[in-house]
Amino acid sequence: MKAAYTDSYLQQPEQLHISEVTTPEPAADEIRVRVKAVSLNDFDWGIVAGKPWILRFFLGWRRPKVRISGCDIAGVIDRVGADVTRWQAGDRVFGDMSGSQFGGFAEFVCCSESAVAALPENVEYSAAAGVPQAAVLAWQALTLKGPLNDGLRILINGAGGGVGAYGVQLAKAFDVHVTGVDKAAKHVQMRSWGFDAVVDYQAEDFIATEQPYDLIIDTKTDRKPWQYCRGLSPGGAYVTVGGKLGLHLLLLLFAPLIRIVTGKRLGIVALHENENLSMFARLLGEGKMSTPIDGPYPFEQLPQQLRYFLDARHQGKVVLVMADTDA
Ligand SMILES: NC(=O)c1ccc[n+]([C@@H]2O[C@H](COP(=O)([O-])OP(=O)(O)OC[C@H]3O[C@@H](n4cnc5c(N)ncnc54)[C@H](OP(=O)(O)O)[C@@H]3O)[C@@H](O)[C@H]2O)c1
């Protein structure tokens, strides 16, 4: 099969080549999925590059234990292990492979039967491939500090990517006001996803607002935790899903003290892979959630598209499709 295989850590996406490797066989409790579409996430490159360095404690210090990266896939099951009861060949599925052995940047991937959910017939593979990590992170962030309620003022920082795209759609099931922060060039598309207001982080500081937010979700944490309190309403919550690791540690350390002194709550989302995937499948099938697809691009363009993604030139989810995939 064709796969983006590497047995050493790479410096640049252009060094990642697609080559012929042995097609994996599913273990007794696994399924094998013929990948139709795969989307890009930060983690995909982290595995290939071994960065941040802390990843190497888990993924191999000198060489990657994971030889084929790729988390979020959609495809069709082509083989099932002897002990698998939930699935059969021909089932359309999607899921995040990061809790299994990764491997989504390939024509076939094997994973545990719980790593995927069924995909409704009317949902295209390319739309489903965008969902797993970004929608799960967005939903976890929206609900980490309590249920969503009508009337909330919500802000998503770094909102031009996957978490912003799904986050605003999920939030808008309620009567809430959602502001998105990203570069001005992305604002037209962000408005089309449902953002009520947009802020250009290169021109304006969203913390210095006269109308504070009840919930701030951040994909790009780059300040000390107490600095976010200024942008929060009394009892408001700040939730980070990404950004600088050192600042996350600082947040963990100071969140209890900040809560006591200000009443404001700070938290970190740790991805629960594939949580609520069936809910997202239903929303996609009913047309209540959609994936803003950047692409889809041919799988062969993976190195170029990884570069494009790392340069943050994308809007929504960058999706790549295999040659025989029409959607
Ligand atoms: N918590 C967990 O367990 C977990 C697991 C997996 C992934 N993650 C993290 O979750 C996040 C996923 O977000 P995503 O998929 O939406 O990312 P994304 O697609 O890369 O989007 C992030 C957006 O932020 C913008 N941006 C960059 N710097 C910014 C700044 N200083 N202020 C405001 N916006 C800025 C980027 O565009 P421009 O650069 O063009 O402005 C981009 O549009 C990533 O940070 C990832 O590392 C967390």
Side-chain angles (χ1 to χ4, degrees):
M1 67 170 185
K2 281 191 192 131
Y5 179 94
T6 179
D7 57 7
S8 59
Y9 287 122
L10 305 181
Q11 305 291 320
Q12 306 294 335
E14 291 77 9
Q15 296 169 307
L16 185 62
H17 297 297
I18 293 171
S19 51
E20 280 294 327
V21 300
T22 309
T23 304
E25 286 300 325
D29 59 350
E30 286 185 333
I31 56 171
R32 187 171 75 184
V33 181
R34 175 185 273 273
V35 176
K36 297 284 191 176
V38 59
S39 76
L40 301 187
N41 290 287
D42 264 5
F43 214 7
D44 299 326
W45 176 244
I47 287 161
V48 173
K51 286 179 188 160
W53 283 86
I54 195 165
L55 276 182
R56 298 196 183 200
F57 283 107
F58 312 101
L59 298 174
W61 191 249
R62 294 168 66 85
R63 288 175 176 278
K65 289 182 197 160
V66 174
R67 301 289 163 94
I68 304 173
S69 183
C71 299
D72 287 358
I73 60 113
V76 59
I77 294 176
D78 90 312
R79 196 167 286 192
V80 299
D83 299 341
V84 171
T85 52
R86 272 170 68 180
W87 304 107
Q88 56 188 29
D91 288 344
R92 302 171 84 242
V93 293
F94 72 121
D96 172 5
M97 303 292 105
S98 67
S100 299
Q101 313 124 346
F102 301 89
F105 290 161
E107 284 180 292
F108 295 90
V109 61
C110 292
C111 63
S112 93
E113 59 176 330
S114 60
V116 293
L119 186 60
E121 280 302 324
N122 64 334
V123 180
E124 295 179 340
Y125 293 115
S126 47
V131 168
Q133 276 194 12
V136 170
L137 285 170
W139 185 245
Q140 277 189 247
L142 284 166
T143 55
L144 186 76
K145 292 293 177 186
L148 282 174
N149 293 310
D150 290 349
L152 292 179
R153 281 177 53 78
I154 299 172
L155 177 138
I156 303 178
N157 184 41
V163 169
Y166 295 118
V168 66
Q169 295 180 69
L170 293 166
K172 280 295 190 177
F174 296 80
D175 184 13
V176 293
H177 184 278
V178 192
T179 300
V181 184
D182 211 305
K183 275 188 188 138
K186 301 187 177 182
H187 287 182
V188 171
Q189 189 159 39
M190 286 163 58
R191 288 263 192 199
S192 76
W193 301 340
F195 282 102
D196 299 293
V198 284
V199 174
D200 175 5
Y201 70 85
Q202 293 176 316
E204 217 180 311
D205 183 2
F206 70 87
I207 298 293
T209 176
E210 284 175 9
Q211 284 186 288
Y213 300 95
D214 303 304
L215 173 63
I216 294 177
I217 293 173
D218 203 347
T219 71
K220 294 284 165 194
T221 295
D222 60 359
R223 305 175 204 216
K224 304 202 170 58
W226 47 89
Q227 293 178 301
Y228 291 106
C229 290
R230 205 175 136 206
L232 288 174
S233 59
Y238 171 85
V239 175
T240 175
V241 301
K244 294 187 177 145
L245 195 63
L247 293 172
H248 286 189
L249 296 176
L250 209 58
L251 187 149
L252 272 183
L253 206 63
F254 280 90
L257 183 64
I258 290 171
R259 174 91 195 251
I260 292 167
V261 175
T262 69
K264 295 174 182 177
R265 297 156 299 148
L266 280 64
I268 301 180
V269 165
L271 177 70
H272 297 165
E273 298 101 7
N274 295 313
E275 193 173 74
N276 294 311
L277 216 52
S278 298
M279 173 179 85
F280 300 128
R282 182 176 50 75
L283 292 174
L284 286 170
E286 292 171 356
K288 292 180 179 158
M289 188 174 93
S290 63
T291 298
I293 297 173
D294 193 326
Y297 305 99
F299 177 63
E300 287 69 23
Q301 285 185 13
L302 177 64
Q304 298 95 299
Q305 296 310 326
L306 265 175
R307 162 64 66 204
Y308 172 72
F309 177 76
L310 293 177
D311 290 348
R313 284 182 278 143
H314 65 291
Q315 298 189 42
K317 290 298 299 182
V318 178
V319 177
L320 298 112
V321 289
M322 295 298 171
D324 65 343
T325 306
D326 46 10

